[in-house]
Amino acid sequence: MIKEDRRPPSRRIADQLRKEIVQGVLKPGDQLPSERELAVLHGAARNTAREAITILRNEGLVDAQHGRGVFVRERPTFLRLGAARYSRALRRATGLSPFDAELLQQHRRGHSDCTSVKRVRPPEDVAERLGVPSKARTVVERENWYYAEGAPVQVCWTYIPVGIAAGSVLARNADLGTGSIYARLEDQGYPLATVREEITARMPTPLEAQGLATSPGVPVIELLHTSYDPNGVAFEVTRFVMRADVMALDYKVPVEQ
């Protein structure tokens, strides 16, 4: 007995197109059939075809370009290289920040902008990791936006206790010079020995979606990074928010025996 397909017509069209995208029949940059062509092909109304395309747009699989049509989204992947990005040897060899060193290794072009350096009351989860009372003290917050091939890929907010950052470029300068933030923290007596990175996924806030130029339906990766010195003291926390459609995480970690 053949089971009746009870999916709405728009869902059936979207499912078929999604299958073709996943299987590579429709490749990144390929144009989808028009609404009229889809309607004829599937024996459906044009509005139904439009609804199917809206489903795929909300999933972040296709982009509608005004006056041109609907295209399968390009998905260039930029790798975040886990622990390797914090290597002191890499920092000293290149003089670059972790992000710029990753770009160099992947033969990509990019840049970053520090848009704010100020004192703030730390968010509760940041205060907990830094061991500072969130209601009683302030920390230095540095906001940075990162771009690869001209497109925004991530934003981050770095929090440093005032007692560590005060009197240094960390508390006042956008440009941190050769070696960037971890070199300046090491100058302050806080060499990076261990990191903890907590990773979750969610939908972006309206401001994040606007700043990161995400398509409807595209989630973000949120990574909460904590830096520890050789004594196990947490001295810096950074919250990264990354576009999940262009960013990937690559970790290689030892297994505890």
Side-chain angles (χ1 to χ4, degrees):
M1 180 178 178
I2 298 176
K3 187 176 180 179
E4 182 183 357
D5 189 345
R6 296 186 177 182
R7 292 173 298 169
S10 59
R11 177 60 66 179
R12 290 201 298 269
I13 297 172
D15 289 350
Q16 178 60 39
L17 289 170
R18 186 189 306 102
K19 180 179 179 181
E20 293 177 13
I21 292 171
V22 171
Q23 292 180 344
V25 177
L26 286 170
K27 296 178 172 57
D30 283 355
Q31 184 172 4
L32 268 62
S34 67
E35 292 175 2
R36 181 180 59 80
E37 291 169 333
L38 285 172
V40 171
L41 180 63
H42 293 274
R46 187 164 176 172
N47 282 346
T48 300
R50 184 177 300 121
E51 290 171 6
I53 291 173
T54 298
I55 291 171
L56 297 179
R57 286 188 65 194
N58 289 340
E59 293 175 0
L61 292 175
V62 301
D63 279 327
Q65 300 179 17
H66 183 68
R68 295 192 61 215
V70 180
F71 297 82
V72 179
R73 291 201 69 212
E74 299 279 356
R75 298 178 69 88
T77 300
F78 174 65
L79 287 177
R80 186 181 190 280
L81 299 176
R85 74 197 308 267
Y86 301 112
S87 163
R88 182 181 290 107
L90 178 64
R91 184 167 69 246
R92 289 177 176 173
T94 64
L96 300 174
S97 69
F99 179 79
D100 288 333
E102 287 169 333
L103 286 171
L104 180 67
Q105 290 182 329
Q106 296 172 59
H107 308 290
R108 305 285 289 276
R109 295 179 300 104
H111 70 280
S112 61
D113 291 328
C114 179
T115 55
S116 174
V117 181
K118 61 186 179 182
R119 295 192 182 195
V120 301
R121 179 174 293 172
E124 185 175 347
D125 55 352
V126 171
E128 177 185 351
R129 283 153 183 78
L130 287 175
V132 298
S134 60
K135 295 181 179 180
R137 298 186 184 178
T138 61
V139 297
V140 172
E141 178 195 77
R142 300 178 60 87
E143 180 177 328
N144 288 272
W145 290 80
Y146 297 87
Y147 303 81
E149 307 297 341
V153 294
Q154 67 179 15
V155 57
C156 78
W157 294 268
T158 295
Y159 301 93
I160 308 167
V162 171
I164 296 173
S168 76
V169 294
L170 291 164
R172 61 176 185 270
N173 287 22
D175 184 359
L176 294 179
T178 303
S180 194
I181 186 169
Y182 293 106
R184 301 294 76 77
L185 284 164
E186 190 164 330
D187 292 344
Q188 296 297 101
Y190 290 87
L192 181 60
T194 308
V195 300
R196 177 189 182 190
E197 296 194 332
E198 305 163 71
I199 302 165
T200 56
R202 59 174 173 79
M203 296 308 294
T205 67
L207 286 177
E208 290 168 350
Q210 180 180 12
L212 293 171
T214 57
S215 296
V218 173
V220 292
I221 300 167
E222 182 173 311
L223 186 152
L224 191 62
H225 163 100
T226 306
S227 294
Y228 299 89
D229 72 7
N231 296 317
V233 175
F235 60 87
E236 172 258 338
V237 172
T238 298
R239 189 187 312 279
F240 294 90
V241 176
M242 300 173 271
R243 285 177 51 173
D245 59 336
V246 296
M247 293 288 291
L249 310 179
D250 185 0
Y251 285 90
K252 190 176 188 180
V253 297
V255 176
E256 294 184 6
Q257 300 301 318

